Amino acid sequence: FSKADLLEAGEAEVKAREVLAALDWQGEWALISSVAHQGTEQLMQRVYQALERELERVEESRDLEERYGEALPETPPAEDPG
């Protein structure tokens, strides 16, 4: 969720949680304001970490393919526990 700076302190999170509940959202989410520099650093770190995990998964798959000489079936990326 963006534009967190446009609402009173705490109100943006309450509204975001209402939307998440209405959508029955179980995935990750973030509340940010790029203008106020709120949450943007944390969001960038989370994205970077997710990309690092995916890169490790791809490299591991390539290593296994090279070792066994055949393509392995695609597996979905693991969900982030946090």
Side-chain angles (χ1 to χ4, degrees):
F1 295 89
S2 186
K3 312 289 186 203
D5 59 302
L6 298 180
L7 297 173
E8 296 295 321
E11 186 179 357
E13 185 169 350
V14 169
K15 294 285 187 188
R17 289 188 183 281
E18 288 173 358
V19 170
L20 293 167
L23 295 172
D24 194 28
W25 183 258
Q26 302 300 313
E28 289 189 53
W29 64 280
L31 182 62
I32 67 167
S33 167
S34 56
V35 171
H37 304 286
Q38 294 174 316
T40 53
E41 184 68 31
Q42 295 89 341
L43 178 59
M44 288 188 297
Q45 289 173 5
R46 287 170 52 191
V47 169
Y48 179 81
Q49 291 166 354
L51 291 171
E52 283 287 306
R53 286 191 303 274
E54 182 63 13
L55 179 60
E56 288 173 10
R57 188 188 73 79
V58 168
E59 288 175 346
E60 183 177 296
S61 178
R62 285 184 183 154
D63 289 345
L64 290 172
E65 286 178 15
E66 288 175 10
R67 182 178 301 152
Y68 296 107
E70 60 186 61
L72 299 174
E74 281 292 318
T75 56
E79 289 193 25
D80 184 9

